[in-house]
Amino acid sequence: MRLKFNKLITICIFMIIFFLNSETLAENVQYIDVKIGNNVSMSSKIGISSTSGFIIRNTINDYSTNETAIYISLSSPEFYTILDENGNKIAEINYADNYEIVPMFENNDYVNLNGKYYRGSIKLIKNNNNCYIINHVSLEEYLYGVVPKEIPSSAPLEALKAQAIVSRSYSLSNLNKHIKDGYNLCDSTHCQVYGGYSAEKDSTNTAVDETKGMILEYNDRAVDAVFHSSSGGHTESSENVWGTKIPYLVAVKDPFSLNAPNSNWNITFTNSVIVNNLRNNNIEIQDLIDIEVLDRTESGRAKTIKVVASDKTVLLSGDKFRSIMGNSNFKSTLFSIEKNYDTDRVVKSTLSKNGIEEIDFTSNTIMIMTNNGIKNLDKSSIDVLNSLGQTNIKIDTHVSSFSFVGKGYGHGVGMSQYGAIEMAKEGYNYEQILQYYYKNIKITQ
Ligand SMILES: [Zn+2]
């Protein structure tokens, strides 16, 4: 009896391992649930339309209607009420009953929601005082609506195919990202941007079709194929951004990204904007005095930032600093800092008779003009040695703003999309592109 029980446990463990290993493989995931748009409040009404009418179904019941525009009222505490255009009730369905709303000609029609068309069906999930609108769609059809939102559809086909495989792998390895809320992925940059049927383009649909079911694998599991817009010349290793070393997300030199759009950027913030941004992130400082890059990763990205204020010094990771300053304007952590000084502060030295003519604060460095020529210094305290001895001059250098001069756009980990486009233009195929940006991986179907 004992032996049989052990055997059963062994079989169970085996099955669980088998299930865990296989669930991320493409052939086992045919449909996914994607949350579309914002959460809907329970006091509102959702309008959807199709050209063929609708079937509202679960495994037990079907309601069908020829109405091409229907409304779902969320005002009842127990039911979704399905109404026709004139407000007449078509059906009442319990919140818990897991219904799908499918166009009548489901393989040949689309659901229109807020002016956007979607393949597949719509499901609703009630969550406290909100309702999530879910698009239940096949993985391949989901990718039709993702690839053109994530990479320009005019890119060469091999780059589009690389993106299709990357997006498929990323989707499969992130299927549980929102599972606690009852769905797989959202339609924003948090997961991948998804625009439904309305976003589809012929070129990107071709790329999805020509790579059907193909994913990147590491140790027989779908790869978390993160990607970014442009690396600026060198990609980054995962541990430098997220703290975890991942064997396939390794920094590589990336000359293909050097001339990408947004590859060179420059943004200036005044001291007060920087102080406010820090305060909004619960970093309370008084007057900002200096910002320095303390150390860099092997790709050249800022690893630690030192913020010197009148009351304290704060150390931040480069990534944290970037997110505080705003990820879309502050495009990467591959940057250097230029200090801008107050411009109208030329101070005449009182030591002119000892050889100093003038201290000029108008440039980023301090120029000391002596009768022996010009010396450039970048210090707040200068020891001047002349025939009368040594004099220390304290200089109140005041930085009024900081300019950040950077390269690349995004976290820099995994595939650079503009690098992939450049590689494709130079004749590399999707396999070569993927093997370049992801290490130790297999491309499988
Ligand atoms: Zn998400």
Side-chain angles (χ1 to χ4, degrees):
M1 190 66 192
R2 183 66 199 234
L3 195 75
K4 269 186 189 165
F5 183 69
N6 281 345
K7 225 177 195 174
L8 198 67
I9 296 269
T10 312
I11 290 168
C12 281
I13 289 171
F14 202 81
M15 282 175 72
I16 288 166
I17 290 170
F18 178 78
F19 179 70
L20 285 176
N21 268 324
S22 57
E23 68 173 344
T24 56
L25 296 182
E27 68 265 29
N28 296 311
V29 178
Q30 281 166 354
Y31 281 84
I32 59 170
D33 286 340
V34 187
K35 182 172 91 88
I36 50 178
N38 296 326
N39 300 347
V40 182
S41 80
M42 292 309 287
S43 57
S44 44
K45 240 180 4 181
I46 301 164
I48 58 178
S49 62
S50 76
T51 55
S52 59
F54 289 99
I55 305 167
I56 300 150
R57 72 174 172 219
N58 72 4
T59 46
I60 304 158
N61 276 316
D62 262 10
Y63 300 94
S64 61
T65 172
N66 294 323
E67 296 290 335
T68 54
I70 59 172
Y71 292 88
I72 301 146
S73 163
L74 306 171
S75 58
S76 152
E78 288 164 65
F79 300 103
Y80 298 110
T81 312
I82 316 279
L83 307 162
D84 68 14
E85 227 167 347
N86 300 317
N88 301 314
K89 188 161 73 182
I90 298 170
E92 259 177 356
I93 56 180
N94 198 290
Y95 287 132
D97 278 353
N98 199 23
Y99 274 87
E100 267 184 88
I101 303 164
V102 194
M104 188 82 84
F105 303 143
E106 57 187 297
N107 297 317
N108 204 8
D109 199 357
Y110 308 96
V111 178
N112 180 345
L113 183 103
N114 296 328
K116 266 194 198 170
Y117 290 88
Y118 293 90
R119 294 176 185 265
S121 64
I122 297 294
K123 287 184 188 175
L124 301 170
I125 298 177
K126 184 181 179 292
N127 188 309
N128 298 322
N129 294 322
N130 282 310
C131 177
Y132 304 146
I133 304 176
I134 305 296
N135 185 198
H136 181 69
V137 64
S138 81
L139 177 62
E140 297 297 315
E141 289 177 331
Y142 162 71
L143 292 170
Y144 287 159
V146 167
V147 179
K149 289 300 231 181
E150 290 289 357
I151 193 167
S153 58
S154 58
L157 183 61
E158 293 302 309
L160 299 180
K161 282 157 78 174
Q163 178 70 52
I165 295 170
V166 161
S167 287
R168 192 179 289 109
S169 305
Y170 180 91
S171 307
L172 290 174
S173 72
N174 286 280
L175 279 180
N176 291 332
K177 211 160 175 175
H178 291 283
I179 211 72
K180 68 170 176 32
D181 286 321
Y183 58 96
N184 300 117
L185 300 165
C186 70
D187 66 351
S188 76
T189 51
H190 176 262
C191 289
Q192 293 187 100
V193 182
Y194 168 61
Y197 177 71
S198 294
E200 291 181 18
K201 295 282 188 297
D202 288 344
S203 60
T204 45
N205 281 13
T206 301
V208 172
D209 289 343
E210 289 192 7
T211 61
K212 188 167 192 249
M214 290 169 82
I215 58 167
L216 305 179
E217 271 185 32
Y218 178 81
N219 274 352
D220 298 327
R221 292 183 64 84
V223 154
D224 187 12
V226 292
F227 56 92
H228 58 277
S229 179
S230 157
S231 76
H234 207 298
T235 71
E236 186 56 284
S237 298
S238 59
E239 67 266 29
N240 290 327
V241 179
W242 300 299
T244 314
K245 202 174 173 118
I246 297 173
Y248 48 84
L249 299 176
V250 179
V252 293
K253 200 164 187 290
D254 182 18
F256 304 106
S257 291
L258 279 176
N259 296 312
N262 296 315
S263 198
N264 294 295
W265 55 270
N266 183 337
I267 190 158
T268 298
F269 294 100
T270 61
N271 288 16
S272 59
V273 169
I274 296 171
V275 169
N276 275 335
N277 286 359
L278 289 165
R279 285 181 185 161
N280 290 339
N281 285 274
N282 300 319
I283 299 167
E284 286 294 334
I285 59 165
Q286 286 176 11
D287 293 333
L288 177 62
I289 294 171
D290 196 15
I291 304 174
E292 247 182 84
V293 178
L294 218 55
D295 56 354
R296 293 181 182 274
T297 68
E298 77 260 47
S299 75
R301 287 176 172 76
K303 199 173 184 175
T304 317
I305 303 287
K306 183 165 106 175
V307 178
V308 182
S310 54
D311 57 330
K312 63 174 86 150
T313 294
V314 181
L315 297 183
L316 295 166
S317 73
D319 220 54
K320 175 80 181 167
F321 185 74
R322 180 184 168 216
S323 81
I324 287 172
M325 300 312 295
N327 280 332
S328 53
N329 288 326
F330 206 111
K331 295 186 189 302
S332 75
T333 56
L334 190 56
F335 64 84
S336 57
I337 302 175
E338 288 176 4
K339 297 164 198 174
N340 308 307
Y341 293 81
D342 286 348
T343 51
D344 54 349
R345 301 174 67 234
V346 178
V347 177
K348 290 277 181 194
S349 164
T350 54
L351 302 176
S352 59
K353 66 175 186 294
N354 298 325
I356 294 178
E357 299 294 326
E358 189 175 288
I359 299 179
D360 179 359
F361 288 91
T362 55
S363 64
N364 285 359
T365 53
I366 299 155
M367 285 195 302
I368 298 193
M369 285 159 262
T370 70
N371 39 19
N372 292 325
I374 293 175
K375 253 195 152 168
N376 287 325
L377 298 165
D378 186 10
K379 285 191 174 169
S380 56
S381 164
I382 301 165
D383 288 326
V384 180
L385 204 58
N386 63 19
S387 55
L388 299 176
Q390 187 171 313
T391 311
N392 184 269
I393 310 171
K394 288 263 182 249
I395 298 165
D396 175 26
T397 52
H398 186 257
V399 181
S400 56
S401 65
F402 292 83
S403 297
F404 301 90
V405 182
K407 282 182 182 171
Y409 191 1
H411 49 60
V413 185
M415 184 177 80
S416 160
Q417 294 174 299
Y418 279 99
I421 292 171
E422 182 56 29
M423 285 184 83
K425 282 181 184 162
E426 293 181 20
Y428 294 94
N429 65 29
Y430 71 90
E431 283 182 283
Q432 292 167 314
I433 294 169
L434 294 169
Q435 298 285 1
Y436 189 81
Y437 287 111
Y438 302 96
K439 295 303 168 196
N440 314 307
I441 50 107
K442 278 192 298 190
I443 302 167
T444 60
Q445 196 144 23

